[in-house]
Amino acid sequence: MPAPNHPELSHCLQQVLPSAQAEAIPLPLTPAIKLYLINQDFPQQSLSQDEMLAVMNYPAYWAFCWASGQVLAQYLLEQPERVRGKTVLDFGSGSGVVAIAAAMAGAATIYACDIDPDAMMATAANAKLNQVELKLYNDFFDITADIDVIIVADVLYDKENLPWLGRFIERAPEVLVADSRVKHFSYPPYTLIERREGSTVPDLDEFDEFRDVRIYYAHRR
Ligand SMILES: C[S@@+](CC[C@H](N)C(=O)[O-])C[C@H]1O[C@@H](n2cnc3c(N)ncnc32)[C@H](O)[C@@H]1O
């Protein structure tokens, strides 16, 4: 049976890749979580010049579950005490994978924040698909509630996002960051607590180094 398709999210993808669909698929590392992602057989190699430019101008990050997101979701499902009963904020939620894992792990209230309005739409659709409740925000600074834990996966691909590491620990007493992009990660008080292999879904055939996901933890003293 074909995977269920999400018409509005498929429509967003078709603005840049006319044959793309947003299909619901279970994640390999956390099959309890299903996400609407770009169809696995989307044409990676055979994009025209115009399609390539369109993809670069509109990077639909929400249409992939990034390796760090999948690994952090798996970690939270295995170690639910990290978030159970707490107020959690997923920064750069994309598809919403980490926020959904936090909800499944028993977090009391979960905020999902992403600057991309289409990512917010994807997070909302994926929350509904997984039957969890999330509060959605485009702007981190609009969230006024007390936050116990900030969770972050794969937002450090852009070096301009590095200063957020300092803002997170000012905003919440605990922060978990999953990343496979920063080579020499040295940002006290963040310390490496876990290293796991993961891949982006659908698999983008990235270099092995980007499959080596590290989880860093910081807490305020
Ligand atoms: C590579 S995706 C990761 C998505 C998801 N966390 C995962 O692991 O699959 C990075 C996401 O961070 C979002 N993002 C980047 N900078 C941001 C900012 N300053 N505030 C909120 N979201 C941001 C992007 O829009 C994108 O959806």
Side-chain angles (χ1 to χ4, degrees):
M1 209 167 63
N5 153 331
H6 193 284
E8 287 84 10
L9 293 174
S10 296
H11 179 74
C12 287
L13 288 174
Q14 286 158 8
Q15 306 298 307
V16 286
L17 290 175
S19 64
Q21 299 283 343
E23 292 179 349
I25 57 157
L27 297 179
L29 293 184
T30 57
I33 301 178
K34 275 193 187 155
L35 297 175
Y36 290 111
L37 300 174
I38 192 166
N39 50 303
Q40 313 233 33
D41 55 350
F42 81 101
Q44 273 190 65
Q45 268 82 36
S46 55
L47 295 186
S48 68
Q49 186 75 7
D50 283 353
E51 284 175 329
M52 192 71 90
L53 272 176
V55 169
M56 281 156 66
N57 287 333
Y58 171 71
Y61 294 118
W62 58 266
F64 296 86
C65 175
W66 297 86
S68 299
Q70 202 187 177
V71 163
L72 188 53
Q74 182 191 41
Y75 177 80
L76 293 179
L77 292 181
E78 287 175 11
Q79 314 243 355
E81 64 281 359
R82 289 280 185 189
V83 291
R84 190 186 290 131
K86 297 183 180 177
T87 300
V88 174
L89 190 165
D90 177 11
F91 180 86
S93 59
S95 63
V97 58
V98 188
I100 290 166
M104 289 180 170
T109 307
I110 306 107
Y111 293 86
C113 168
D114 201 296
I115 38 169
D116 176 0
D118 291 343
M120 290 282 84
M121 199 201 318
T123 297
N126 287 323
K128 192 167 172 201
L129 182 67
N130 290 279
Q131 298 176 305
V132 301
E133 208 173 298
L134 307 176
K135 296 180 187 296
L136 308 183
Y137 279 81
N138 270 135
D139 187 347
F140 176 85
F141 297 104
D142 284 347
I143 303 170
T144 53
D146 286 345
I147 304 294
D148 298 313
V149 192
I150 297 182
I151 50 180
V152 188
D154 207 349
V155 300
L156 304 179
Y157 60 92
D158 181 349
K159 293 217 170 353
E160 292 199 355
N161 280 338
L162 283 167
W164 281 99
L165 292 171
R167 286 172 208 139
F168 297 147
I169 198 63
E170 279 168 20
R171 182 68 176 79
E174 291 187 283
V175 186
L176 283 164
V177 174
D179 179 72
S180 63
R181 314 267 171 200
V182 178
K183 276 203 169 33
H184 305 289
F185 190 108
S186 175
Y187 297 93
Y190 291 84
T191 56
L192 180 67
I193 56 162
E194 188 87 20
R195 200 166 167 177
R196 296 183 181 201
E197 203 170 299
S199 56
T200 295
V201 185
D203 198 338
L204 288 170
D205 278 334
E206 291 181 289
F207 295 122
D208 283 349
E209 63 185 286
F210 298 132
R211 296 172 188 265
D212 178 15
V213 178
R214 292 130 203 250
I215 301 178
Y216 302 92
Y217 173 70
H219 68 107
R220 246 187 352 232
R221 287 172 203 284

